Amino acid sequence: GETVIDLLPREAVQQLQRSLDAERFAHSVGVMETAFQLADAWNPFPVDRTFLAWASLFHDCAKNLSRDARHRLLNDGPVPYGQELLEYAKIAHAPLSAKLLQDEYQIRDPGVLMAVAYHPTGHPDLTPIGWMVYIADYLEPGRVYFPKREDYLRVACADPLEGLKLVTRLRMESVQRKNKPQHPLVLQFRQFLENQVSLEVKPS
């Protein structure tokens, strides 16, 4: 039977697999599978399944780049989204991954590129693909340190807004435990979610 990964060109998947370490590739596949679980559950938000496959599987595609490759990528023109995240070492891979997806794999869809660039922080302008990747990145099956992972995922499948709020809270708590400051965009995204009664899709 067709699997989700079959939505993508085989050579692109092979290239991704070569460029990531085994653990990161397994994480990426888990994120893709979880994103599709959300897509199946969130009927009111129809998404382009091929775009969702690109955004979820490739969300960390720049994660294992060498320093030289990073510099080359940055010297090759501006980052399409997430410029303001580049100065944060821990999440700079996200905007770089959006740029790599654009330059190397010719993916130009703004919803996909935004989903990739802002997957660590969230962003008020994310589309449903971005919401799915943001949640799936945190609740994929490889996240074994979460005893309640499956319960959290059930919440997210049942109610997108509750799922986003939950993952935002979990992300913020884990940053807090490390005594790190919250990124301003995370606080902005949390505020955006608090102000929503239900999630509306912005007309593109």
Side-chain angles (χ1 to χ4, degrees):
E2 194 195 33
T3 63
V4 175
I5 221 159
D6 295 331
L7 291 166
L8 298 172
R10 180 169 301 175
E11 52 287 5
V13 175
Q14 287 167 342
Q15 187 176 339
L16 178 70
Q17 190 164 11
R18 283 194 300 271
S19 69
L20 293 176
D21 62 52
E23 197 180 339
R24 182 62 44 184
F25 185 72
H27 162 73
S28 301
V29 171
V31 171
M32 177 164 74
E33 287 167 353
T34 306
F36 274 83
Q37 264 179 281
L38 292 165
D40 292 339
W42 294 3
N43 291 328
F45 298 125
V47 294
D48 180 308
R49 291 174 79 83
T50 303
F51 279 163
L52 182 60
W54 278 110
S56 52
L57 188 66
F58 285 76
H59 74 285
D60 275 349
C61 61
K63 188 83 172 186
N64 295 138
L65 286 184
S66 67
R67 186 170 296 211
D68 286 350
R70 274 172 179 243
H71 284 310
R72 271 202 304 279
L73 190 58
L74 283 170
N75 289 336
D76 245 0
V79 165
Y81 293 97
Q83 182 73 39
E84 69 276 42
L85 305 182
L86 284 175
E87 64 213 70
Y88 296 85
K90 190 106 178 65
I91 52 181
H93 71 278
L96 285 173
S97 293
K99 179 155 174 54
L100 193 63
L101 197 50
Q102 175 189 270
D103 295 5
E104 186 75 23
Y105 297 95
Q106 273 72 60
I107 301 299
R108 302 267 186 267
D109 179 73
V112 171
L113 297 177
M114 270 202 94
V116 170
Y118 291 111
H119 76 263
T121 57
H123 192 287
D125 296 337
L126 288 177
T127 65
I129 285 181
W131 301 335
M132 290 168 194
V133 173
Y134 176 79
I135 292 175
D137 179 44
Y138 215 70
L139 296 182
E140 59 96 1
R143 304 286 198 189
V144 284
Y145 51 79
F146 264 159
K148 294 215 208 95
R149 185 193 75 84
E150 289 189 6
D151 298 340
Y152 293 153
L153 189 56
R154 266 194 291 278
V155 169
C157 283
D159 185 331
L161 182 57
E162 283 311 306
L164 288 167
K165 285 180 177 175
L166 177 65
V167 167
T168 301
R169 197 184 77 230
L170 293 170
R171 284 173 179 269
M172 290 179 76
E173 283 168 2
S174 94
V175 168
Q176 228 159 359
R177 276 197 299 277
K178 295 170 190 151
N179 288 320
K180 295 259 169 43
Q182 302 288 347
H183 188 280
L185 249 183
V186 175
L187 301 171
Q188 200 186 329
F189 190 51
R190 182 183 63 177
Q191 194 53 55
F192 164 80
L193 294 172
E194 291 306 324
N195 295 338
Q196 306 305 306
V197 181
S198 67
L199 285 171
E200 303 294 326
V201 180
K202 296 194 177 76
S204 50

